[in-house]
């Protein structure tokens, strides 16, 4: 569980999972592990446009939970909670994202963004699983 938690806080792992989006960490914590009270500013190509998103880690319970909130970005509101639980067969990771778009087309934008965010989470979580279950985790945590 600790390994999965730490991998989920890895800026480098996140970047490896989003290479197709040309995502970069351009401010705050830009490599290594992010922690409580720290922020990261991302820049990447999402839904056909270059976007910047800044998140602050404002909730922290190692190694079971952390929460990021958007402090600057394209959404009216964005919160991402990461939950970790030890199970008989390994670690369960659960992501909860709450967000809202603004403007006249908010409902349509939210529907498109939801699909996009789910795809990103699936890629990132598959990489966390693969790394945690092999020696690949050392690339991100040592």
């Amino acid at each position: 569980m600790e390994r999965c938690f730490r991998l989920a806080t890895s800026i480098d792992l996140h970047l490896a999972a989003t290479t197709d989006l040309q995502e970069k960490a351009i401010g705050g914590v830009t490599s290594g592990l992010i922690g409580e009270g720290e922020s990261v500013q991302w820049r990447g190509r999402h839904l056909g446009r270059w976007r910047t998103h800044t998140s602050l880690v404002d909730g922290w319970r190692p190694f079971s939970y952390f929460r990021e909130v958007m402090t600057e970005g394209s959404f009216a509101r964005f919160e991402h909670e990461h939950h970790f639980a030890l199970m008989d067969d390994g670690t369960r990771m659960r992501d909860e994202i709450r967000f809202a778009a603004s403007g006249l087309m908010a409902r349509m934008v939210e529907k498109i963004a939801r699909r996009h965010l789910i795809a990103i989470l699936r890629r990132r979580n598959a990489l966390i699983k693969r790394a945690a279950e092999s020696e690949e985790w050392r690339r991100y945590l040592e």
Side-chain angles (χ1 to χ4, degrees), residues 43-127:
R43 179 159 171 76
R45 192 158 177 82
H46 295 270
L47 303 174
R49 291 185 50 210
W50 286 100
R51 301 183 191 273
T52 303
H53 178 100
T54 304
S55 288
L56 169 70
V57 177
D58 78 339
W60 188 260
R61 286 193 314 263
F63 297 97
S64 62
Y65 170 85
F66 71 97
R67 180 176 109 123
E68 304 169 73
V69 295
M70 181 190 77
T71 58
E72 187 178 340
S74 299
F75 293 101
R77 178 178 63 89
F78 191 96
E79 302 169 359
H80 183 180
E81 293 184 339
H82 306 256
H83 299 267
F84 304 83
L86 193 56
M87 309 300 282
D88 289 339
D89 61 345
T91 299
R92 181 182 66 207
M93 298 187 330
R94 181 170 49 91
D95 291 281
E96 292 181 25
I97 295 180
R98 287 177 292 286
F99 66 94
S102 59
L104 296 173
M105 306 286 283
R107 300 284 274 181
M108 184 178 74
V109 169
E110 289 171 1
K111 187 175 182 178
I112 294 166
R114 180 172 285 108
R115 284 194 304 263
H116 181 66
L117 290 167
I118 288 169
I120 292 169
L121 288 173
R122 284 187 174 145
R123 280 195 312 269
R124 185 200 63 146
N125 290 348
L127 179 54

